[in-house]
Amino acid sequence: MSGTSKLSSGSRVAIVGGGIAGAGLAASLLFNGRARGVALDVRVYAGGTEERTAPPALLTPECRSRLAALGCRIPPEWRTHELRGVEIISEGERELLPCAPGGLWVVDGWPHGEGGLDQVRQVLSTAASSQGARFVNRNVERVERQAPAPDAPTAVRNAGPLVVRAQGSGERFHAVALAAGAGPLLGDAFFKNFRPAPSMPAVQARLKGGMVGRDLMPVARLWVSPLPSVDALFLIPGADSVYALAFGAAVTPADLCQVLMMAARDGLLEEGFEVAALETTRLPYGPGRALVAPGQLVVGPAAFGHPLQVGLSETLASCSRAAVALLDGGLDAPSLERRYVRDGLGELLEDAAAGARSITWLRRAGKRAPAAFVAARAKHALGGVYGGGVLGLSAPTPLALLTTARWAGVREVVGSWLRTPMEPVPTMVPEVEPDLYYVVDDDADTREALTLLLESTGARVVSFADELALFCAVARRPPTAILLDVVLHWVDGLRLCEGLKQHPLTRDTRVLVMSGLNRPHVRQRALDAGAEAFLPKPVNPDRLLSQLTGRVPELLATQEAPRPGAAQPFGEDRYAS
């Protein structure tokens, strides 16, 4: 191994992570090296667990130009779906940020093919492979620096060989780059004191039905703070599905499902959608620190990012700047710090910090949040050198958005001190349909038994095996009452009851909670959530009808009274909730 401080012909470079950042860095290294007459040996190692719920890719004109410059052939079908704009929603207020014609492409093949990010990765990998990159299907465990000879010069010791340990094998390289995204990272196993970009929990899902097909509107949506535990929800339409992403410090899969039900209730999704795939993930949430070491650097989301940065331009920009830094100065830490971090990533790191901080202020801004985006968009000419915008748009820039979001947040907080709290009144509240009951239970026998009982009194009953459609149904066709099980597939029934009681369209709906766990704390939680009554399972028919109607129907009153403790209950729950 040579002790030179920069890459030269024959230098070996390992890239950890075969995603978009890894493939992009490989293509950029080989492209820039060839332009300088430097032939490199580039190996790309797998980056860890692949996500099953592959997100779509949003391609801006700048991103498409960067892909073309790296030798990528853009498939013509990628331009078949363009977004008309991005709608910002917060506390009933909405603003549409329009896209320029042909400005923002949604690349997505799910569910019939691969997600958009996978498709872009494949195109980049093909371009890198055609230029000589080799992709190694092994996960890296750690990176070690081989000890130099005791009498070696300082420059040689600092640029000593690096050994990549991957599933029992070890290979030596001049330089190693980490491009493993915002998921599991190597941490201190990459280099000492490595500090990646901070990240935030998120939950992503794919929806079939609802906002797809002929009724699809080519508009992405960002719903700010729909729940206390959710900072924001993204809804991005594809050709045959909708991608949903909720993020927040305490977000859970149940939070995402509840927000999706609220979105259907408020008309952001249509009735009948189905959650076809769901999993947790993490999003970058600001700039990383200590991004370089002798011969090592970090690219892509492992180095910086924020949740409003939904395009790929910034990731590809970091790949180009990392390649130039390695070729120009590269194997000693001070040179990499200057060329890559300070001179290369400076404005991108500022954008990441501003974008992450904007989220907090947008939550505080409440109903003023959509207007903050509009105000920031008008200031795009005052943006930084990079000039990249949020949400895949050319404007607003993260720095401009932070300024307007902070001002909107301050005004909203101060205004809340001065005004009398007044809840918005829905423009039209449907009337409750007499003798209409909803039964929500994932046990078919319980649903059937409750339906037969209520129909015997002349009532009309709609039963739900899947709770996702309930919010939408209640808002459009309010029932006399809802019989709600605690244990459901996606959302805890008590949280569902609480959500119904928090919205003006559904808060007056009567809710009776059922559970097989007849414990005081469960009963109290149900009542605290707004339930009218708690019914232990198996449900006693007489008690249920008495609670609903105030009387026992003649049909049951004339039947032989059961022996004490032997009333014919039904609906034995399969679970203890």
Side-chain angles (χ1 to χ4, degrees):
M1 284 285 179
S2 171
T4 180
S5 64
K6 63 173 62 177
L7 296 180
S8 57
S9 288
S11 294
R12 305 187 71 218
V13 180
I15 300 173
V16 182
I20 288 176
L25 177 56
S28 188
L29 266 173
L30 292 165
F31 176 82
N32 284 280
R34 183 175 292 108
R36 299 169 186 228
V38 177
L40 301 174
D41 179 4
V42 177
R43 309 289 178 94
V44 184
Y45 288 83
T49 305
E50 296 290 333
E51 292 180 328
R52 298 183 303 275
T53 310
L58 301 184
L59 301 186
T60 63
E62 180 188 4
C63 182
R64 302 196 293 266
S65 296
R66 289 185 179 277
L67 289 172
L70 293 175
C72 298
R73 295 185 58 190
I74 307 295
E77 60 269 19
W78 280 12
R79 67 173 307 153
T80 58
H81 184 52
E82 299 178 4
L83 288 183
R84 190 186 72 186
V86 180
E87 187 177 40
I88 313 299
I89 304 162
S90 184
E91 295 188 8
E93 299 295 322
R94 301 188 182 191
E95 291 286 353
L96 179 66
L97 305 181
C99 298
L104 194 55
W105 296 0
V106 179
V107 179
D108 198 23
W110 198 93
H112 309 296
E114 294 180 314
L117 291 184
D118 285 340
Q119 294 183 47
V120 175
R121 175 186 55 79
Q122 283 198 359
V123 167
L124 274 167
S125 299
T126 300
S129 296
S130 67
Q131 297 182 55
R134 293 181 56 186
F135 286 77
V136 182
N137 190 24
R138 292 201 301 270
N139 293 326
V140 175
E141 299 154 2
R142 64 187 183 277
V143 178
E144 302 171 347
R145 187 170 298 279
Q146 191 172 27
D151 58 347
T154 301
V156 174
R157 289 201 301 268
N158 288 341
L162 295 160
V163 180
V164 174
R165 302 291 182 186
Q167 295 181 247
S169 68
E171 292 192 67
R172 292 171 34 168
F173 294 91
H174 292 87
V176 182
L178 177 61
L185 297 173
L186 292 176
D188 283 340
F190 184 54
F191 63 74
K192 188 177 181 180
N193 298 323
F194 166 54
R195 293 293 179 267
S199 60
M200 172 170 281
V203 183
Q204 56 186 356
R206 286 289 192 159
L207 313 181
K208 293 169 62 177
M211 206 169 71
V212 296
R214 61 181 178 82
D215 298 321
L216 173 67
M217 290 296 289
V219 174
R221 292 187 168 100
L222 174 67
W223 189 0
V224 178
S225 192
L227 286 176
S229 57
V230 178
D231 284 354
L233 169 75
F234 278 107
L235 293 174
I236 300 176
D240 297 295
S241 68
V242 177
Y243 175 73
L245 174 72
F247 60 89
V251 69
T252 66
D255 292 323
L256 173 58
C257 292
Q258 184 169 341
V259 173
L260 292 176
M261 289 187 286
M262 294 163 62
R265 175 199 64 198
D266 295 346
L268 306 180
L269 289 170
E270 295 181 4
E271 271 188 272
F273 72 86
E274 173 189 351
V275 177
L278 182 147
E279 68 180 343
T280 58
T281 184
R282 296 192 72 87
L283 299 178
Y285 206 80
R289 293 163 34 194
L291 302 180
V292 298
Q296 293 170 269
L297 51 72
V298 184
V299 297
F304 66 92
H306 61 85
L308 301 179
Q309 187 174 286
V310 296
L312 298 176
S313 297
E314 296 85 354
T315 293
L316 294 176
S318 73
C319 293
S320 298
R321 297 172 193 192
V324 171
L326 282 172
L327 287 164
D328 278 351
L331 303 185
D332 66 286
S335 178
L336 275 179
E337 176 73 28
R338 182 179 70 255
R339 293 174 180 269
Y340 178 55
V341 179
R342 285 185 291 172
D343 297 342
L345 292 185
E347 67 270 30
L348 297 179
L349 297 177
E350 287 184 5
D351 280 354
R357 291 167 62 193
S358 294
I359 298 295
T360 301
W361 286 107
L362 289 170
R363 291 199 61 155
R364 294 174 182 172
K367 64 182 180 181
R368 301 178 191 267
F373 276 88
V374 175
R377 187 180 178 91
K379 298 180 179 181
H380 69 277
L382 303 178
V385 177
Y386 174 66
V390 299
L391 304 176
L393 304 172
S394 59
T397 64
L399 290 171
L401 179 61
L402 176 59
T403 300
T404 58
R406 183 189 290 120
W407 176 236
V410 170
R411 291 181 62 193
E412 181 63 20
V413 170
V414 173
S416 67
W417 299 340
L418 304 177
R419 64 175 177 263
T420 303
M422 184 175 297
E423 186 174 15
V425 179
T427 55
M428 182 182 69
V429 180
E431 293 184 1
V432 172
E433 294 192 29
D435 297 324
L436 173 65
Y437 294 90
Y438 290 163
V439 175
V440 188
D441 199 308
D442 60 354
D443 180 61
D445 293 338
T446 299
R447 291 197 308 273
E448 181 180 5
L450 289 172
T451 298
L452 290 174
L453 173 66
L454 294 173
E455 287 180 343
S456 70
T457 70
R460 291 166 297 142
V461 181
V462 178
S463 63
F464 297 85
D466 186 342
E467 68 274 21
L468 292 177
L470 178 66
F471 268 47
C472 191
V474 174
R476 288 164 170 72
R477 194 180 172 196
T480 299
I482 300 173
L483 305 184
L484 181 63
D485 189 24
V486 170
V487 174
L488 299 171
H489 183 61
W490 294 110
V491 181
D492 181 283
L494 299 180
R495 294 186 60 181
L496 197 57
C497 177
E498 197 172 52
L500 288 166
K501 292 296 181 178
Q502 287 175 348
H503 195 276
L505 281 176
T506 57
R507 71 157 29 136
D508 294 329
T509 304
R510 299 171 63 193
V511 180
L512 281 70
V513 168
M514 308 175 293
S515 176
L517 186 61
N518 185 15
R519 297 288 185 270
H521 72 279
V522 179
R523 179 188 304 271
Q524 189 58 50
R525 281 188 61 204
L527 298 178
D528 291 343
E532 177 181 303
F534 175 86
L535 303 175
K537 284 187 174 183
V539 175
N540 185 297
D542 292 1
R543 180 180 176 185
L544 171 61
L545 294 175
S546 176
Q547 182 71 42
L548 290 174
T549 66
R551 59 183 176 82
V552 178
E554 182 179 348
L555 176 64
L556 289 178
T558 58
Q559 293 179 351
E560 180 182 354
R563 295 186 305 275
Q568 299 299 311
F570 54 83
E572 185 78 44
D573 201 355
R574 295 173 298 161
Y575 310 99
S577 53

